[in-house]
Amino acid sequence: MLVFVPTPLGNLRDITLRSLDTLRECTLLVAEDTRVARRLMSALEIPGKTIWSYHEHNARTAATGIIERAREQLVAVTTDAGMPGISDPGVELVAAAREAGVAVEVLPGANAAIGAAVLSGFDIRRFIFEGFPPRKSGARKEAFARALATGAPTVWYESPQRIHKTLRDLDTIAP
């Protein structure tokens, strides 16, 4: 079985009991960044797990081995923080598992987009999650203009390295 395990967004105590159980019981841990996963497992006092890397640059080559292990064993999938499968190649892993007849479960837990939407104070009975904006300024401005035209609150993710450029582009579209 393949189980998507959300990880804390900053406070380690935000991990769920089911997530802890799965991390303890899995025979393979699949992680976006193995260094982050090792730190998490150490902090949670869960030693000795085999950890495989799975990210946008190796998704095609790594998926086959992960699916084969999940046929016979419990494989946990994590991301650096929050819900795996959002803005990472986890969705492709789910599709590959389903195609191969491997069971997939997603545990409830941390998700930055939902928390940000609730905290915003906007009416979020309807909102749009866009993931990461395009990396190039022109495409980013076009994406922001399209999002604003919907009239619905929109949640975007952005890396700390690009946030200043992204906010400047947003300021040109919606000062």
Side-chain angles (χ1 to χ4, degrees):
M1 172 178 268
L2 194 63
V3 181
F4 280 58
V5 180
T7 56
L9 295 172
N11 187 326
L12 203 56
R13 295 180 55 82
D14 289 339
I15 194 151
T16 69
L17 295 175
R18 286 180 64 201
S19 292
L20 281 172
D21 289 345
T22 301
L23 292 174
R24 287 184 185 118
E25 295 168 10
C26 71
T27 56
L28 173 64
L29 176 60
V30 175
E32 182 178 13
D33 184 329
T34 59
R35 297 165 299 183
V36 173
R38 282 189 184 89
R39 283 192 302 270
L40 175 67
M41 298 301 274
S42 176
L44 296 173
E45 299 178 355
I46 303 173
K49 293 295 176 182
T50 301
I51 303 174
W52 286 4
S53 176
Y54 182 78
H55 48 74
E56 66 180 320
H57 303 294
N58 75 350
R60 287 192 178 141
T61 57
T64 303
I66 293 166
I67 299 303
E68 287 307 310
R69 288 285 294 265
R71 284 184 192 285
E72 305 288 328
Q73 301 168 9
L74 178 60
V75 175
V77 180
T78 64
T79 190
D80 290 351
M83 181 62 74
I86 297 178
S87 296
D88 68 36
V91 69
E92 296 163 12
L93 192 55
V94 170
R98 286 186 173 165
E99 184 176 315
V102 172
V104 178
E105 183 175 1
V106 177
L107 301 182
N111 177 300
I114 300 299
V118 171
L119 184 61
S120 74
F122 295 129
D123 179 355
I124 58 167
R125 286 176 280 189
R126 176 181 175 267
F127 71 95
I128 299 167
F129 172 70
E130 288 283 351
F132 284 91
R135 291 180 183 232
K136 294 188 178 182
S137 179
R140 208 170 28 237
K141 288 176 184 177
E142 288 176 19
F144 290 154
R146 281 193 308 273
L148 286 166
T150 68
T154 306
V155 177
W156 298 85
Y157 285 168
E158 186 54 283
S159 77
Q161 294 79 19
R162 292 190 302 265
I163 191 68
H164 292 297
K165 290 179 182 178
T166 298
L167 289 173
R168 279 193 295 274
D169 286 345
L170 181 59
D171 187 52
T172 65
I173 301 299

